[in-house]
Amino acid sequence: NVPALRDLVATVSGSAVMRGIIGIVASLPEDMLGTGEKKLRDAIAALAPESDALVLSAGARRVLEKLVRALNAVDLSGWVVETGPSAFLQVLLFAVRPDPLLFPELAAAVLRRPAGSTLEIAEDICGSRVIEAVVAAAPSDDVVAALFHETVRPRLRDLAAHPRGNFVVQAFLRRFRGRTAMLTIENGVNPKATPLVKACVTELAPDTPALIEGTRGGVVLELCRACGASGDLTCQKNMVLALDRFFKPEQDDPDEAPENVCDSILLNLLFMDTRRAY
C-alpha cells in the first residue's frame, strides 16, 4: 500500500520507524537508523563507499524486492524533496545496495525526472542528500561516473559553491578518492584517459580561495584528499599552487590574510610535505 506508506514516512516518527524496520530486515548499521538528518548524512558518509560487508538474505531480498517494485510504479519526485520520505529512501538505497538488480531499479526511480531537472535535486536540502546516498551506495563506479556527468559536471563550479549542492560535490569526490580508473566521458559516451579527480582539480582548483572564504572548505578538503590519493603528481602540484594563492596573498597586507584560520591550517598541514617537494 504505497499511499499509506507515503503518509507514514511523511511524519518524523513514521519515517524513523520504517527506517528501523528496513534496517532490521537488511541488517544495516544501527547508526543509520532512526536518527536525525545530520546524523544520517554523517553515517552514510562514514559507511561509503566501502560497504561490501552488507549482504542480503533470501528473505530480506524478497521483502525489499516487493517494496522496490511498488515504489518503482509511482512518482517519487515528491518523496525526494521532503524530509521524512527522503530519509526513508536514503536508508532503502543502502538496504538494496548488495543486489545488482534492485539498486539500479530503485536509484532510477528515485532520480526519475524530466530532462535536465535532476540537477535541481542537487540544490534541494533533501534532494541533495538523496543524491549523496545514491553516490555512496552505488555498487558500480560506472553508475557513479555516469551520474556525475549527468547531474554535476555541467555546473560543477556552481554546485561546489552552493549551500546544498556542495555536499553533493563532496560525495562524488569521496567516491572518486583512490579510483584512478574512473574516467571522464567525451560526448557522453567514449571514455578518455583522464581520471575524474584530475578533471575536478582542473576545474575547481582556481576557485580554491573563493571556496574557502565562502565557507565551502569541505569541498576543498575532499578535493585535496582525492587528489592526494590519486598519486598523480601533476594533479597534486596544481592543487598545491591553488592553495598557495590562498595561503600567500599577493600583497603583504594583514587585511588580505585568510579569515578562516581553521580551514587554512588544516589544508596547509594536509599538503605540507607535498609543498616541500615543490
Side-chain angles (χ1 to χ4, degrees):
N1 190 334
V2 176
L5 175 62
R6 172 69 179 78
D7 292 339
L8 179 61
V9 298
T11 65
V12 174
S13 57
S15 177
V17 168
M18 287 306 301
R19 297 202 305 268
I21 292 173
I22 294 299
I24 292 171
V25 170
S27 301
L28 291 176
E30 186 175 347
D31 58 358
M32 291 187 66
L33 313 174
T35 60
E37 287 294 287
K38 174 65 166 63
K39 290 185 178 179
L40 177 59
R41 167 180 274 167
D42 291 343
I44 287 175
L47 184 65
E50 309 301 343
S51 51
D52 295 329
L54 303 179
V55 178
L56 286 179
S57 66
R61 192 191 185 287
R62 284 195 296 271
V63 172
L64 294 174
E65 181 179 17
K66 290 181 180 179
L67 180 57
V68 170
R69 296 286 152 76
L71 291 174
N72 195 26
V74 301
D75 180 10
L76 296 178
S77 58
W79 296 52
V80 172
V81 295
E82 295 182 25
T83 303
S86 69
F88 169 72
L89 290 175
Q90 291 172 57
V91 171
L92 185 58
L93 283 161
F94 270 92
V96 300
R97 182 194 192 281
D99 192 281
L101 298 178
L102 291 182
F103 181 87
E105 185 175 343
L106 179 61
V110 166
L111 298 175
R112 189 183 299 134
R113 288 291 188 285
S117 66
T118 305
L119 187 60
E120 297 175 4
I121 306 175
E123 297 179 341
D124 180 80
I125 191 169
C126 294
S128 62
R129 291 170 177 173
V130 172
I131 293 182
E132 288 176 56
V134 172
V135 173
S140 167
D141 285 344
D142 291 340
V143 171
V144 177
L147 181 61
F148 174 76
H149 286 285
E150 288 177 20
T151 63
V152 174
R153 190 68 191 275
R155 286 182 53 205
L156 179 59
R157 297 178 67 187
D158 290 340
L159 284 176
H162 192 275
R164 292 168 290 278
N166 82 92
F167 290 106
V168 173
V169 175
Q170 290 184 53
F172 276 104
L173 289 172
R174 279 195 297 272
R175 184 64 187 250
F176 295 163
R177 194 187 305 167
R179 286 167 159 78
T180 56
M182 295 182 70
L183 307 176
T184 58
I185 298 177
E186 186 176 25
N187 299 325
V189 180
N190 300 318
K192 294 173 62 181
T194 306
L196 283 172
V197 168
K198 190 170 184 177
C200 289
V201 169
T202 300
E203 194 159 347
L204 293 179
D207 294 339
T208 294
L211 288 171
I212 298 177
E213 291 171 354
T215 67
R216 301 291 174 257
V219 173
V220 180
L221 191 56
E222 290 298 342
L223 195 62
C224 288
R225 288 170 172 165
C227 185
S230 70
D232 187 318
L233 292 180
T234 301
C235 179
Q236 292 172 2
K237 182 175 181 179
N238 289 339
M239 196 67 218
V240 169
L241 293 174
L243 291 170
D244 272 344
R245 286 194 289 273
F246 179 70
F247 297 127
K248 300 177 181 178
E250 293 181 3
Q251 301 177 4
D252 295 329
D253 185 343
D255 293 336
E256 294 293 326
E259 293 182 5
N260 195 331
V261 178
C262 291
D263 277 338
S264 175
I265 292 174
L266 281 173
L267 294 171
N268 202 11
L269 288 175
L270 184 65
F271 268 82
M272 187 165 55
D273 291 339
T274 310
R275 285 163 58 94
R276 289 197 190 107
Y278 296 106

